[in-house]
Amino acid sequence: MIKRKLLALSLLVALFSCKKSEENLADSPTGWDILETPVESSLRGLSPLTGEIAWASGSEGTWLRTIDGGKTWDHGVIAGLDTVDFRSIHAFDALTAIVVSAGQPAVIYKTLDGGKTWDLKHQENEFAFLDGISFASSSRGFVIGDPEGGKWTILQTANQGNTWYPLDSLPGAVDGEAAFAASATSLLAEGNELWLGTGGTESNLHFSKDMGASWEKYSSPFIQGESSQGIFSIASMGKGEIVAVGGDYLNEEMQEGIAGIFVSSKKEWVKPQQGPSGYRSGVVYFSQQKWLIAVGPAGSDYSIDGGITWQPISADGFHAVKKGHADGSVWASGAKGKIAKLKY
């Protein structure tokens, strides 16, 4: 009898929790809260931790950090490199972060003291171009770079970025295939899986189920053939569903071949019935609200049905969008020091 009562109580608690969770879901985003920052640099690197703590990086060697939700910012130039564009950043906590440059010099720096000092952890050769960073765990991460000699450049670390070395098995790349550093999110590390979305002469989705030991390649339905076209950003919705956005950054209004959902169990793409409003450089899955958020220089969009249909949020332009690691916050970064938080 007591067991039956406990079971009934457990079921009621579960039903109430589900109902409460559903009641907390907002209908849609209501816009962006644009934050005031002390810099004018183009910010493509973005790594929020919570609704209060976020890091960003970008052109002119710039880094920024807030620990009060964007009311105030610490900022500076990384290691005096005021001509370098740090388009990738990954923060571990309020004191520790890694930045990766795009272009030359191809370098990776790390700070342990909230940005006061930055130490060089890795430097690639004079031909390398590094496009993005993704961590699969608190210690293991990966950096993607453009192909060299018909193979992709992929670096890995197992100690929070203190040392870096290339993968033993690198996926092949066709001539003219490239990754984009527009939001530093064309590479996704999740569990034991690696996903890479590409563009240029071909737009493909490269996949490894075993952290880079072996690779598969799937052609994409994205616009492709030119150096400005293809997949620019990918995000996981869980259960093997990868959403991708992109297009042609030289034709921001084009709406064909700019978004898709790859269903790994079927190894096929699903095209949206109604896509984003144009070229989009960044996408994130906001799991708390079950939304997809996509951003680009000409505006932002959201989807509440897993990327099948998209609706505009606003005409505010951004380069990158990320979800806080620990709570229900979504941040975006863009040109001229622009940083914002999603309102809903």
Side-chain angles (χ1 to χ4, degrees), residues 24 31 36 41 95 108 110 126 143 152 172 187 194 207-209 211 214 217 225 235 238 252 258 299 301 305 316:
N24 288 339
E36 185 176 343
S41 300
L95 294 176
I108 301 175
K110 184 175 182 179
E126 60 182 327
V143 164
W152 285 96
L187 177 71
L194 287 174
F207 168 63
S208 173
K209 63 183 178 182
M211 281 295 179
S214 62
K217 182 174 75 171
E252 294 181 358
I258 67 168
D301 306 90
D305 56 11
D316 290 309

Side-chain angles (χ1 to χ4, degrees), residues 53-67:
I53 303 170
W55 293 72
S57 63
S59 62
E60 300 172 327
T62 300
W63 68 271
L64 296 92
R65 182 196 66 160
T66 182
I67 57 174

Side-chain angles (χ1 to χ4, degrees), residues 83-317:
T83 62
V84 176
D85 195 351
F86 287 99
R87 295 191 178 189
S88 305
I89 187 168
H90 179 86
F92 298 99
D93 53 47
L95 294 176
T96 313
I98 289 172
V99 290
V100 183
S101 69
Q104 287 294 322
V107 290
I108 301 175
Y109 277 81
K110 184 175 182 179
T111 182
L112 299 173
D113 55 13
K116 294 177 182 177
T117 60
W118 295 85
D119 295 323
L120 178 65
K121 296 299 181 181
H122 185 81
Q123 182 162 357
E124 280 291 291
N125 63 54
E126 60 182 327
F127 304 106
F129 192 102
L130 303 178
D131 300 286
I133 190 170
S134 183
F135 269 74
S137 68
S138 59
S139 58
R140 190 164 192 190
F142 300 83
V143 164
I144 182 67
D146 279 350
E148 291 187 46
K151 296 285 187 178
W152 285 96
T153 300
I154 302 180
L155 305 174
Q156 64 176 324
T157 180
N159 55 13
Q160 288 198 345
N162 290 320
T163 57
W164 295 86
Y165 53 97
L167 285 181
D168 292 332
S169 177
L170 294 168
V174 301
D175 188 33
E177 186 181 8
F180 293 106
S183 64
T185 52
S186 59
L187 177 71
L188 172 65
E190 184 179 59
N192 290 320
E193 298 178 344
L194 287 174
W195 298 89
L196 170 62
T198 70
T201 54
E202 284 189 11
S203 178
N204 297 302
L205 189 62
H206 299 265
F207 168 63
S208 173
K209 63 183 178 182
D210 46 25
M211 281 295 179
S214 62
W215 291 89
E216 302 170 21
K217 182 174 75 171
Y218 305 99
S219 60
S220 89
F222 277 61
I223 182 172
Q224 55 197 275
E226 300 293 337
S227 61
S228 58
Q229 300 172 345
I231 296 173
F232 280 71
S233 180
I234 58 176
S236 172
M237 294 188 289
K239 299 180 180 180
E241 295 182 342
I242 302 296
V243 63
V245 300
D248 186 340
Y249 72 80
L250 296 179
N251 187 355
E252 294 181 358
E253 296 182 358
M254 180 183 294
Q255 297 184 14
E256 294 296 323
I258 67 168
I261 308 101
F262 184 78
V263 182
S264 58
S265 61
K266 298 181 179 180
K267 296 185 178 181
E268 61 185 32
W269 287 89
V270 176
K271 295 181 182 181
Q273 295 175 3
Q274 178 180 330
S277 303
Y279 159 70
R280 295 294 178 256
S281 53
V283 65
V284 69
Y285 180 56
F286 187 16
S287 55
Q288 282 88 340
Q289 294 293 327
K290 300 180 181 178
W291 297 338
L292 287 165
I293 308 294
V295 303
S300 55
D301 306 90
Y302 73 98
S303 172
I304 61 174
D305 56 11
I308 301 301
T309 59
W310 295 80
Q311 302 292 330
I313 298 174
S314 76
D316 290 309

